[in-house]
Amino acid sequence: MDRIFHAVVLNLHQPSGNLQHLFDHNKWEAKEILFSLDRIPRSLWQDSDIARVHLSLSGTLLETLADPGFQAAAYGTIDCGSFLWHLQNEQIFEILGTAYYHPVLPLIPAADREEQIKRWLGRGQHLFWRHHFNGFWPPEMGFSMELIPLLKRYGYKYVLIDSENIRPVDPMSWQELRYRPHLARYGEDEIIVIVRDRDLSNAQESGMDYGWFYREVQERTNGCAFPPLVTTCTDGDNGGWFRNTNPQANFWGSFYPELLAHARAGTGNIQPGFITDYLHQYGAHGYVEVETAAWNTGWHHGRGFVQWTGSQAQKDAIGRVELTSAAIHQTARELAAAKTPDHHPACSELENSLWHMLRAETSCNFFWGEDWVHKCHADLDTAWSYLHRVRQG
């Protein structure tokens, strides 16, 4: 029985201040989210010999969990410090890099993409005690080919892309395209593309049993003349399947233990694995092009970013982000040309302007139609107030 490698990838994200707000105003929802996080390492301790899970944690979530004030407020619901410590277990977890404020990267100015990636690395390297992360999780799986040189510059080996946004350059079968790593090239730079199976990921998100998953995977990989890598990617802290506190009605109590039991006993050929380990053993094959698009949401297929740009209010806010970004970076160049020392008050004011602008770019400000667009404008207002101080100083 040929082995089929299964990579579970979970995206964990909460907008800046959201968990604290929920803890103050809707404590049960906050607890559901925190329980869903805490459940991850607790569910895997006893299966460290075989369990393998990839996690992406946004910078804003890490910022909240590492904050002493929030840790004190949440203590008794979750020990945030211990949770972060447990995620350092490299036998169970492969941590993926991402962008700090969880923006849809193709929708933000190019100059801000580097800031978002650099800031997450600073936080991730500190909390996870390592300098290097092999894989990159693009928030909302929003990707464009022009991101490849930037990701390579920051040391990333592979990026996760939705199966609906991959187009083969070299001839490939349906199975090869979805269940084998590939290469994507932009200019002189290449990166490995790991393909998310959209259909199986939809099932992972909504709830599935092992028997169905096993049969579906066998059917989809039938005829593969290579060891297939089946990659399923979803949020890990949203939806009833991951938040449900009933062990028999969530991913960690129902589906995953059965998968691990069969893998350990050898009664099934699906083997949990890390993407990095698969690449070391089998490599990547063939070139693909990646369409500029995102993953599917509950309302849209991801192409055209309509989920985040569908209304005029959303478009206007994104346009204002671009204007604000241009003004901030121009001011930064002027301060550098004037050889303004880092300790000068203007530099501190500009840094405050920059991070408010970066926070305004979070995908959540645009995801919910026009409901959260005002949060984008609020941060941009603050960014401009700091910028005006710099210019007037």
Side-chain angles (χ1 to χ4, degrees), residues 57-121:
L57 299 95
S58 69
T60 49
L61 176 60
L62 292 175
E63 183 180 289
T64 298
L65 296 175
D67 178 70
F70 182 80
Q71 289 184 349
Y75 194 77
T77 300
I78 176 177
D79 184 335
C80 298
S82 294
F83 169 73
L84 293 171
W85 174 259
H86 294 317
L87 297 191
Q88 294 183 28
N89 186 335
E90 296 184 64
Q91 186 175 356
I92 301 175
F93 300 112
E94 182 167 338
I95 303 298
L96 306 173
T98 188
Y100 194 97
Y101 289 104
H102 202 267
V104 180
L105 287 168
L107 293 181
I108 69 173
D112 299 342
R113 298 169 187 168
E114 183 163 10
E115 285 291 338
Q116 295 275 5
I117 290 170
K118 183 170 61 176
R119 285 172 186 243
W120 187 91
L121 278 172

Side-chain angles (χ1 to χ4, degrees), residues 112-327:
D112 299 342
R113 298 169 187 168
E114 183 163 10
E115 285 291 338
Q116 295 275 5
I117 290 170
K118 183 170 61 176
R119 285 172 186 243
W120 187 91
L121 278 172
R123 177 75 65 170
Q125 288 168 348
H126 171 70
L127 289 176
F128 297 116
W129 284 57
R130 67 197 69 172
H131 295 289
H132 182 70
F133 299 86
N134 286 326
F136 185 80
W137 174 264
E140 310 287 6
M141 298 198 89
F143 191 79
S144 59
M145 294 282 283
E146 64 185 356
L147 291 166
I148 292 173
L150 177 59
L151 298 183
K152 292 295 290 184
R153 189 158 68 247
Y154 280 91
Y156 290 107
K157 305 298 184 186
Y158 69 83
V159 61
L160 289 134
I161 304 294
D162 187 78
S163 58
E164 296 301 306
N165 303 329
I166 303 291
R167 301 292 176 262
V169 173
D170 305 318
M172 297 180 194
S173 67
W174 186 91
Q175 289 87 352
E176 285 178 308
L177 186 62
R178 284 160 181 77
Y179 303 125
R180 207 171 198 182
H182 308 296
L183 293 165
R185 172 184 285 270
Y186 187 87
E188 299 300 314
D189 293 291
E190 292 182 352
I191 197 165
I192 296 171
V193 170
I194 304 298
V195 183
R196 172 211 191 219
D197 186 299
R198 177 177 287 196
D199 295 331
L200 292 177
S201 296
N202 287 344
Q204 176 174 292
E205 180 179 40
S206 59
M208 59 185 176
D209 63 68
Y210 172 77
W212 176 90
F213 180 75
Y214 183 84
R215 292 188 296 272
E216 190 71 15
V217 168
Q218 304 303 315
E219 180 67 25
R220 286 171 171 264
T221 60
N222 184 35
C224 286
F226 55 89
L229 174 65
V230 176
T231 305
T232 52
C233 309
T234 63
D235 287 339
D237 56 349
N238 290 318
W241 182 233
F242 284 94
R243 288 192 188 181
N244 199 317
T245 56
N246 180 351
Q248 302 307 312
N250 68 51
F251 179 89
W252 300 111
S254 176
F255 168 77
Y256 203 60
E258 190 171 359
L259 184 149
L260 295 180
H262 282 281
R264 180 181 288 110
T267 53
N269 62 342
I270 298 178
Q271 183 74 33
F274 286 141
I275 292 169
T276 295
D277 291 341
Y278 181 96
L279 292 173
H280 284 161
Q281 188 168 1
Y282 301 108
H285 302 266
Y287 283 86
V288 295
E289 294 281 340
V290 181
E291 291 188 349
T292 300
W295 66 357
N296 56 304
T297 66
W299 297 272
H300 201 264
H301 48 60
R303 292 187 296 277
F305 302 111
V306 173
Q307 184 73 43
W308 301 271
T309 63
S311 74
Q312 190 58 49
Q314 290 168 309
K315 292 183 175 71
D316 290 345
I318 289 172
R320 192 178 178 215
V321 165
E322 293 172 353
L323 291 173
T324 307
S325 174

Side-chain angles (χ1 to χ4, degrees), residues 13-42:
H13 165 62
Q14 291 296 316
S16 180
N18 191 59
L19 271 176
Q20 184 64 63
H21 176 80
L22 289 174
F23 216 82
D24 294 338
H25 301 282
N26 188 349
K27 185 162 286 189
W28 175 242
E29 184 176 357
K31 286 186 173 183
E32 281 187 312
I33 295 170
L34 293 171
F35 288 152
S36 72
L37 299 177
D38 195 46
R39 194 177 294 123
I40 298 172
R42 290 183 182 276

